Amino acid sequence: MKLVLVRHGESEWNKKNLFTGWTDVDLTDTGRQEAANAGELLRREGFDFDLCYTSYLKRAIRTLNLALEQLDREWLTVMKSWKLNERHYGALQGLNKAETSQKYGEEQVRVWRRSFDVRPPLLNEDDDRNPRRLEQYRAAPPQELPLGESLEDTIARVVPYFEKTIRKEMQNGKRVLIAAHGNSLRALVYHFEKLSKEEITKVNIPTGVPLVYTFDENWNVTEKKYLGDPNLIRAKIESVANQGKKQ
């Protein structure tokens, strides 16, 4: 069984080096090109899909749409779930990562960005950014919607969704493409590769690059590979890793 993961292309807030989380920002021109390139790579490598999954956030939705356009598969069924949203960065959302490092220190920002179980400062209940006050989450159980999340919290919502919903479809023979976010995809990487808490903190996922997992019948990973130019992929991974450093 194969599964393809794609992190959304560069967003407007990626470009500005801002904590984004559940803020629903769009792709940049670069991000749109990255998404199209991902679809072109998948087409060139002979991939086809039966079912797609994405989050409630437009940067992931539009990445998926642009990739499917290149694959000539815009008619495919797409399932959207807030369970695949990015990690919620709480009150950090909208802050510049480098400026936050200047104010609080690189180590504190590293902990907020890359620790396993430390939550960011939480939103207040009456904050307009509270997902319980946003239209796209009107059907979600309010008690499940976060005011801020650690990576551990993100894993706790992403992995059960995969296990209960996506894995079942794959076992029924469906070829699946997931377009999501850095941390929701890291949650899956943690799960698939059985990483430790320390190991997952060092994982960075590049934007707009298809990541292909192959599993055996017992759901052990037998192959993992990124598609595309290794040098470009390496540079993108380093760029993600450096986002929280002082400028």
Side-chain angles (χ1 to χ4, degrees):
M1 290 176 288
K2 290 185 185 292
L3 173 67
V4 178
L5 311 177
V6 179
R7 182 183 179 187
H8 64 79
E10 181 190 65
S11 75
E12 293 169 346
W13 280 21
N14 288 147
K15 185 174 182 178
K16 295 177 180 178
N17 201 23
L18 306 180
F19 286 100
T20 309
W22 286 28
T23 310
D24 201 13
V25 299
D26 206 347
L27 299 173
T28 62
D29 288 343
T30 297
R32 285 185 277 274
Q33 187 60 57
E34 286 180 314
N37 290 347
E40 170 62 20
L41 275 170
L42 290 166
R43 186 192 63 75
R44 199 184 313 153
E45 293 286 333
F47 282 85
D48 197 1
F49 302 97
D50 304 298
L51 188 57
C52 306
Y53 291 86
T54 190
S55 72
Y56 273 15
L57 299 169
K58 68 178 65 138
R59 58 192 186 273
I61 295 168
R62 289 178 177 168
T63 293
L64 177 59
N65 291 344
L66 287 162
L68 291 179
E69 183 179 349
Q70 293 300 312
L71 285 161
D72 195 23
R73 289 294 184 269
E74 292 171 277
W75 46 265
L76 283 177
T77 298
V78 175
M79 306 299 294
K80 300 184 181 77
S81 174
W82 65 268
K83 297 291 183 72
L84 294 175
N85 274 18
E86 176 59 292
R87 173 187 169 194
H88 197 301
Y89 272 107
L92 295 179
Q93 293 183 167
L95 299 182
N96 182 279
K97 294 172 185 176
E99 291 174 2
T100 306
S101 288
Q102 292 278 4
K103 184 173 181 179
Y104 295 102
E106 281 188 14
E107 178 58 22
Q108 178 61 73
V109 171
R110 187 198 66 77
V111 169
W112 281 331
R113 291 188 67 232
R114 283 293 177 257
S115 64
F116 186 79
D117 55 6
V118 177
R119 290 173 178 158
L122 302 182
L123 292 176
N124 294 321
E125 286 277 358
D126 60 357
D127 194 302
D128 288 341
R129 297 171 292 175
N130 180 347
R132 298 162 204 174
R133 300 164 68 97
L134 300 177
E135 279 295 300
Q136 60 257 57
Y137 306 106
R138 62 192 179 194
Q143 69 277 9
E144 293 184 18
L145 296 172
L147 298 173
E149 293 177 304
S150 64
L151 177 60
E152 184 176 38
D153 297 325
T154 309
I155 290 168
R157 66 169 158 84
V158 173
V159 170
Y161 180 75
F162 175 84
E163 287 292 310
K164 293 175 185 176
T165 304
I166 303 175
R167 176 170 160 163
K168 179 175 67 176
E169 296 290 352
M170 292 176 64
Q171 287 174 323
N172 288 334
K174 295 290 197 299
R175 297 165 294 179
V176 172
L177 170 62
I178 302 175
H181 307 266
N183 284 296
S184 51
L185 295 181
R186 287 172 74 224
L188 293 176
V189 170
Y190 171 83
H191 179 55
F192 297 155
E193 299 183 31
K194 302 177 176 65
L195 299 181
S196 69
K197 296 176 182 179
E198 292 72 30
E199 288 170 329
I200 191 58
T201 63
K202 299 179 177 66
V203 172
N204 294 287
I205 296 180
T207 54
V209 179
L211 171 56
V212 184
Y213 277 97
T214 306
F215 303 92
D216 65 17
E217 64 276 9
N218 296 314
W219 287 91
N220 297 308
V221 175
T222 59
E223 185 182 28
K224 171 190 177 182
K225 67 175 181 179
Y226 283 108
L227 302 183
D229 180 347
N231 292 324
L232 177 60
I233 293 166
R234 194 176 306 113
K236 285 189 171 191
I237 290 173
E238 290 174 0
S239 175
V240 174
N242 290 332
Q243 284 176 353
K245 295 183 178 179
K246 299 175 185 176
Q247 294 178 341

